[in-house]
């Protein structure tokens, strides 16, 4: 009996314990489910907040970068595609006919090559009444040639202008003599005229502040000298051929730092004057600097101290651009280095072609001041600024020298320019060395 009672008691206790355990486990599961749901909600809220924050941060940084670098994007577009991104007239330019492109290029050349000889009225001699009218006629007015006009004229043009004026003066002398003879015959007076000697009494030309024109010294290099190539993508195609020819023929080494989409207009993107100055200072064996620039420069560019961009061809633009050319030439002169500057060739697009005509006038004038070498390229490539041509004719055959973009050269065109550079160089052997 005791056993049964004890058994029944234990059984009741076990049932109550099982119920308690079940209730506790159910409660624990509910609490766990509630806590898990809370965690899921918290995680979802945190992920949503973090995604929003990341998106907002990315959006703000993107706007900031666009605001900071929109100028550089415009500059890259101009340098790469040679057109303004928002003010481009490419569609209009492509629709222009060949006749309109020729007229625009002719107007550009007429503006850049306009040169006149002007008489100064202040220096006209006063006429004396007591002097014989024929002798008065022989006192020729002095011709004052302005320095700016003479810089643009060549020697041959100046001589032609002076000879033409001599002929006009001699014709006037003859007319005056004939008129005096007629008046004297009417008054029955024998004229006593002295013969006019045109050759002995030529008009005297007074030239003030005329710079003397000197030919640049020839480019002489030895085995110990180096050649430095600087320029844009035009130079990138020509420099390797010149390097190969120099080393193969004369064992002369070269340095090629030419870089695509560079020029003198945007020193913040790439500063050529500083790069050239540092390279010349680091390597004293450099004796020749070859420069080939232009297609990336005929655009507006910023100037320190001015809020707006300097417009292309404006006085401020030209002043700043000339200073950058002069900086390169002065650095070369300080290191006793000769410069060979290649003219920018004709371009297919009329607007870009007009820019090359203008830039070449700046290059040429600054080169003449320092008596350095300037190599024209149009004749070598068989084109002119009035008419673009991608081919040259040799032995009744047409050879393509320009790429379809109307800017760069084919390998044949690059070799032609490389040979022209080589013809400017004179090799001198060192004492004690003999060629094999």
């Amino acid at each position: 009996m005791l056993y049964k009672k004890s058994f029944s008691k234990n059984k009741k206790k076990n049932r109550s314990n099982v119920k308690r355990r079940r209730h506790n486990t159910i409660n624990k599961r509910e609490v766990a489910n509630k806590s898990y749901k809370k965690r899921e909600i918290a995680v979802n809220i945190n992920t949503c907040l973090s995604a929003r924050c990341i998106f907002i941060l990315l959006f703000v940084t993107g706007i900031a970068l666009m605001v900071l670098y929109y100028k550089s994007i415009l500059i890259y577009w101009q340098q790469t595609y040679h057109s303004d991104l928002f003010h481009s007239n490419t569609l209009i330019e492509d629709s222009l006919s060949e006749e309109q492109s020729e007229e625009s290029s002719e107007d550009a050349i007429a503006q850049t090559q306009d040169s006149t000889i002007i008489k100064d009225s202040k220096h006209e001699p006063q006429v004396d009444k007591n002097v014989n009218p024929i002798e008065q006629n022989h006192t020729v007015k002095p011709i004052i040639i302005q320095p700016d006009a003479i810089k643009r004229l060549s020697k041959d043009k100046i001589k032609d202008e002076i000879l033409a004026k001599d002929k006009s003066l001699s014709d006037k002398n003859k007319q005056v003599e004939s008129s005096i003879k007629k008046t004297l015959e009417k008054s029955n007076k024998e004229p006593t005229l002295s013969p006019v000697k045109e050759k002995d009494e030529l008009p005297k030309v007074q030239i003030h502040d005329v710079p003397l024109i000197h030919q640049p010294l020839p480019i002489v290099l030895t085995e110990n000298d180096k050649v430095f190539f600087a320029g844009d993508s035009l130079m990138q195609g020509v420099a390797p051929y010149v390097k190969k020819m120099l080393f193969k023929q004369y064992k002369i080494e070269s340095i090629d730092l030419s870089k695509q989409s560079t020029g003198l207009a945007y020193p913040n993107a790439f500063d050529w004057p500083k790069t050239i100055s540092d390279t010349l200072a680091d390597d004293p064996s450099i004796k020749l600097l070859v420069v080939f620039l232009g297609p990336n420069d005929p655009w507006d560019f910023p100037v320190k101290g001015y809020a707006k961009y300097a417009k292309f061809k404006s006085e401020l633009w030209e002043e700043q651009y000339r200073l950058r050319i002069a900086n390169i030439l002065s650095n070369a002169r300080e290191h006793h280095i000769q410069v060979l500057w290649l003219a920018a060739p004709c371009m297919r697009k009329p607007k870009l072609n007009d820019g090359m005509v203008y830039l070449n006038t700046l290059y040429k004038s600054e080169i003449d001041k320092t008596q350095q070498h300037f190599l024209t390229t149009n004749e070598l490539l068989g084109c002119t600024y009035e008419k673009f041509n991608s081919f040259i004719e040799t032995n009744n055959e047409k050879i393509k020298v320009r790429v379809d973009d109307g800017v760069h050269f084919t390998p044949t065109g690059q070799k032609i320019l490389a040979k022209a550079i080589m013809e400017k160089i004179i090799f001198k052997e060192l004492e004690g060395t003999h060629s094999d």
Side-chain angles (χ1 to χ4, degrees), residues 233-242 245 292 342-343 345-346 375-383 388-394 398-404 407-422:
S233 56
L234 300 182
M235 179 61 85
Q236 276 185 328
V238 177
Y241 289 104
V242 186
M245 293 177 184
F292 200 5
L342 274 69
C346 59
L375 178 61
T376 57
T377 55
N378 279 348
E379 295 179 357
L380 300 171
L381 300 171
C383 69
F388 179 83
N389 190 9
S390 298
F391 298 87
I392 58 171
E393 293 184 2
T394 56
K398 286 187 176 182
I399 300 173
K400 191 173 183 180
V401 294
R402 302 296 290 272
V403 185
D404 293 336
V407 178
H408 299 91
F409 316 114
T410 62
T412 304
Q414 294 167 356
K415 290 177 183 178
I416 290 171
L417 294 176
K419 289 179 181 177
I421 295 172
M422 289 294 295

Side-chain angles (χ1 to χ4, degrees), residues 236-339:
Q236 276 185 328
V238 177
Y241 289 104
V242 186
K243 287 181 65 176
K244 186 177 180 180
M245 293 177 184
L246 285 171
F247 189 79
K248 186 176 180 180
Q249 295 182 21
Y250 308 129
K251 303 299 180 182
I252 294 176
E253 296 182 354
S254 307
I255 300 172
D256 181 16
L257 297 183
S258 56
K259 189 174 182 180
Q260 185 179 0
S261 300
T262 59
L264 302 180
Y266 306 101
N268 292 331
F270 191 84
D271 195 346
W272 268 119
K274 185 178 183 301
T275 303
I276 292 172
S277 177
D278 295 342
T279 306
L280 297 181
D282 294 339
D283 196 344
S285 62
I286 297 173
K287 297 300 178 183
L288 175 62
L289 170 64
V290 184
V291 184
F292 200 5
L293 295 167
N296 299 311
D297 287 344
W299 314 104
D300 304 345
F301 58 69
V303 179
K304 289 183 179 179
Y306 293 88
K308 297 181 179 180
Y309 274 28
K311 292 184 178 181
F312 179 55
K313 292 187 180 181
S314 64
E315 293 182 1
L316 177 61
W317 195 99
E318 182 173 337
E319 179 185 356
Q320 294 295 321
Y321 199 81
R322 281 183 179 273
L323 287 174
R324 294 167 191 181
I325 301 171
N327 189 3
I328 294 173
L329 297 175
S330 63
N331 285 327
R333 188 174 183 179
E334 289 177 2
H335 294 87
H336 305 285
I337 294 170
Q338 290 182 287
V339 179

